[in-house]
Amino acid sequence: GTAGVGGAAIRQRKQGLLLTMGTGSTLSLVQAKLAAARSVTVLTGAGISADSGVPTFRGPDGLWRNFRAEDLATPEAFVRDPKLVWEWYNWRRELIATKRPNAAHDVVAQMERRIERFWLITQNVDGLHRDAGSRQLSEIHGNIWKVRCTTCRQVSDNREVPIPILPSCGRCAGLLRPHIVWFGEGLAEEDLQASDAALRNCDICLIIGTSGLVYPAAGFAAVAKRAGAFVVEVNLDPPQRSGVVDATLQGRAKDIVPLLFQA
Ligand code: OAD
C-alpha cells in the first residue's frame, strides 16, 4: 500500500513506521505543498518532545494520569502550597534537564531558516525548540527555565536544578513562581497577537503532537483553516479533527517531520 511513496518513506517503513493505505499520496502532497509554501505556521505540543523522552500529559504514561493538575498547576495550588508546587517543578526540571532536541525539533528549526515567513507556536515549556535553534517562536504556555516574581513581576532565566525552595527574587525578595501559564490563567497578550497573526497569514499550518484539548491552542487549527490555510496534522494517534485538518500523517514526530521538509 505504499507505492509512489518515495524512497524516504519506504526506509521509514522498514524502521516500523505506521504507514496506512493513502499515506503515500498524502505524504507527497504535503512535501510538495511545504516545498512551495511562502508562509508556514507550526503548532507543537508534548508529542514532539515525547521522542526526546519528555513525558506527555494525557497519554497512557501522561503526567495527568499520576498527578492532579488542580493540586500542582493552578494559581490556587501555588497560594495553598508553594513548596509542593515547586517540588513538582523541580522534579520536572530534573527530568527535562538531560533531554535533547530530536530530529523533529531540528527540522522545525531549519524551516525557520528556509521559509520566507515562518512562525512557531509551541505549548511546550521544555525549551527544546530553542535548544534546536528556533528563534521565531511563541512559547504560549511559558518556559520551565524561567521564573517570575509574584511581587515585582520580573521574569528571569533560571537553570538551577534543583532550585532552592522557596526561591526569592534577587531584586525585591518576593516569592518566585515558575513562568508557566497555569490552568485558569490567560495567555500573554503578546503571544496571543503573534499567534493569531501567524495563523491568519499562513499558507500551511502544521500541527505536531498535540491532543488539542487545551484552549486557546485547541482552536488554532480552525483559525488557520478559516483564513484559508492548508492544515496538516502529525500525530501518533489516528486522525481526530477531520473537520478542520486537510491531511493527517500518523506516526512519531521524529520519523514523520523529517520526511516532510528537506532543507
Ligand atoms: P497532551 O499530552 O495532551 O497530548 C500529546 C499528543 O501527542 C497526543 O495527541 C499524542 O497522541 C501525541 N503524541 C505522543 N507521542 C507522540 C510522538 N512521538 N509523535 C507525535 N505525536 C505524539 O499534550 P499537549 O497537547 O501538548 O499545559 O497538552 C496541552 C497542554 O496541556 C500542555 O501545554 C500542558 C498541559 O496541561 C501547560 O504546561 C500549561
Side-chain angles (χ1 to χ4, degrees), residues 141-160:
H141 290 166
N143 188 306
I144 201 165
W145 303 114
K146 288 183 178 177
V147 293
R148 183 166 83 241
C149 179
T150 56
T151 303
C152 75
R153 315 275 155 197
Q154 174 162 276
V155 176
S156 39
D157 291 335
N158 184 305
R159 287 238 157 215
E160 288 173 283

Side-chain angles (χ1 to χ4, degrees), residues 44-48 50-51 56-59 64 92 123-125 141 180-183 208-214 234-237 241 251-254:
T44 64
I48 195 171
D51 290 330
T56 62
F57 294 91
R58 295 176 183 79
W64 298 147
R92 285 185 58 204
Q123 297 167 86
N124 300 343
V125 301
H141 290 166
I180 284 178
V181 178
W182 285 327
F183 290 103
I208 308 168
T210 175
S211 60
L213 293 171
V214 176
V234 176
N235 201 297
L236 196 52
D237 280 351
R241 268 157 287 188
R252 294 187 183 282
K254 76 161 166 49

Side-chain angles (χ1 to χ4, degrees), residues 10-260:
I10 289 160
R11 274 201 309 281
Q12 290 297 320
R13 186 172 59 161
K14 288 194 189 124
Q15 291 167 16
L17 175 70
L18 245 172
L19 277 183
T20 53
M21 285 286 279
T23 303
S25 52
T26 305
L27 181 63
S28 352
L29 177 68
V30 174
Q31 285 170 329
K33 284 196 173 279
L34 272 174
R38 299 182 61 189
S39 174
V40 173
T41 296
V42 174
L43 168 67
T44 64
I48 195 171
S49 292
D51 290 330
S52 293
V54 179
T56 62
F57 294 91
R58 295 176 183 79
D61 305 315
L63 293 178
W64 298 147
R65 289 282 167 114
N66 297 310
F67 299 97
R68 282 160 42 98
E70 53 271 44
D71 292 341
L72 300 164
T74 64
E76 293 78 16
F78 192 67
V79 168
R80 200 163 48 230
D81 196 345
K83 195 165 169 280
L84 175 75
V85 172
W86 264 121
E87 274 163 3
W88 190 65
Y89 277 99
N90 259 342
W91 172 73
R92 285 185 58 204
R93 279 177 165 232
E94 198 177 326
L95 201 81
I96 292 169
T98 55
K99 306 298 185 281
R100 304 299 309 145
N102 63 60
H105 296 102
D106 291 342
V107 169
V108 170
Q110 284 163 18
M111 286 180 180
E112 164 181 321
R113 296 192 280 269
R114 310 290 160 123
I115 296 166
E116 213 171 290
R117 279 180 296 149
F118 179 87
W119 198 255
L120 166 62
I121 306 166
T122 186
Q123 297 167 86
N124 300 343
V125 301
D126 54 38
L128 292 181
H129 281 297
R130 278 185 193 280
D131 292 346
S134 284
R135 291 297 175 269
Q136 291 166 30
L137 80 167
S138 301
E139 291 175 308
I140 60 170
H141 290 166
N143 188 306
I144 201 165
W145 303 114
K146 288 183 178 177
V147 293
R148 183 166 83 241
C149 179
T150 56
T151 303
C152 75
R153 315 275 155 197
Q154 174 162 276
V155 176
S156 39
D157 291 335
N158 184 305
R159 287 238 157 215
E160 288 173 283
V161 181
I163 198 164
I165 292 175
L166 290 167
S168 59
C169 178
R171 204 162 73 160
C172 78
L175 174 64
L176 296 177
R177 58 164 278 179
H179 185 52
I180 284 178
V181 178
W182 285 327
F183 290 103
E185 296 183 315
L187 269 52
E189 195 54 40
E190 176 192 358
D191 291 335
L192 275 176
Q193 279 173 15
S195 300
D196 197 60
L199 292 161
R200 285 177 194 282
N201 291 304
C202 61
D203 306 330
I204 300 186
C205 178
L206 177 59
I207 297 169
I208 308 168
T210 175
S211 60
L213 293 171
V214 176
Y215 281 86
F220 284 0
V223 173
K225 178 73 186 168
R226 273 199 303 274
F230 185 82
V231 180
V232 179
E233 173 147 42
V234 176
N235 201 297
L236 196 52
D237 280 351
Q240 274 159 10
R241 268 157 287 188
S242 45
V244 167
V245 176
D246 296 295
T248 308
L249 293 154
Q250 193 189 346
R252 294 187 183 282
K254 76 161 166 49
D255 296 328
I256 304 267
V257 179
L259 293 177
L260 300 183

